[in-house]
Amino acid sequence: MNATAAASPSDTPGTASPVDAPFVDPATADAAPAEQRQAALARAYDGCAAAAETCIHHCQQQLATGDAALADCLRTALDADAVAVAIGRLARNRSAWAAVLAKQSLSILDACVEACRPHRAAHPACRACFDACGKAIAATRAA
């Protein structure tokens, strides 16, 4: 008898014997990781929306005083807020469209992060928006 014929399925690397294999319900096999990804997207995009909203308010206050330095930051925060609210809601609803739309929103969030970058040291609202939208970008890439 050769060595190949003598090997049992449990001796083969990467396989377990039927007795040792954990039970996996096929109906829920991918449910936990998918739910975790949806929850992570929801948290990240909700955080981005909240921070963008604060940044919008701050930028509007600065503009009202005649300081136009945050005009680009305001424009991109408005866009980031719009998509972040939608994606956060989709992710909380466990919609398959959340990850699709999140991937499409990366350029919007990236523009917001870049607009906030020069202001983050002087303006805490811009720093928070920069950080939160960066987390949404990271969550999207991980999803």
Side-chain angles (χ1 to χ4, degrees), residues 7 13 29 36 65 74 97 113 132:
Q36 290 170 355
T65 68
L74 174 60
W97 291 104
V113 165

Side-chain angles (χ1 to χ4, degrees), residues 34-136:
E35 280 187 29
Q36 290 170 355
R37 285 190 302 272
Q38 292 282 27
L41 274 180
R43 280 190 306 276
Y45 276 86
D46 287 346
C48 177
E53 204 173 299
T54 300
C55 189
I56 290 165
H57 181 68
H58 174 71
C59 291
Q60 288 172 332
Q61 286 180 328
Q62 293 297 115
L63 285 169
T65 68
D67 181 1
L70 298 178
D72 285 340
C73 201
L74 174 60
R75 278 191 286 279
T76 61
L78 286 165
D79 291 343
D81 178 56
V83 298
V85 166
I87 295 165
R89 182 172 294 152
L90 288 168
R92 283 190 310 281
N93 292 337
R94 295 185 178 109
S95 171
W97 291 104
V100 173
L101 188 56
K103 287 186 187 333
Q104 294 300 313
S105 77
L106 287 175
S107 58
I108 293 169
L109 296 185
D110 190 49
C112 186
V113 165
E114 290 308 311
C116 287
R117 185 181 302 279
H119 308 290
R120 60 193 168 143
H123 302 277
C126 293
R127 167 57 126 193
C129 191
F130 176 89
D131 292 342
C133 290
K135 288 178 183 175

Side-chain angles (χ1 to χ4, degrees), residues 10 16-22:
S10 63
S17 69
V19 174
D20 295 337

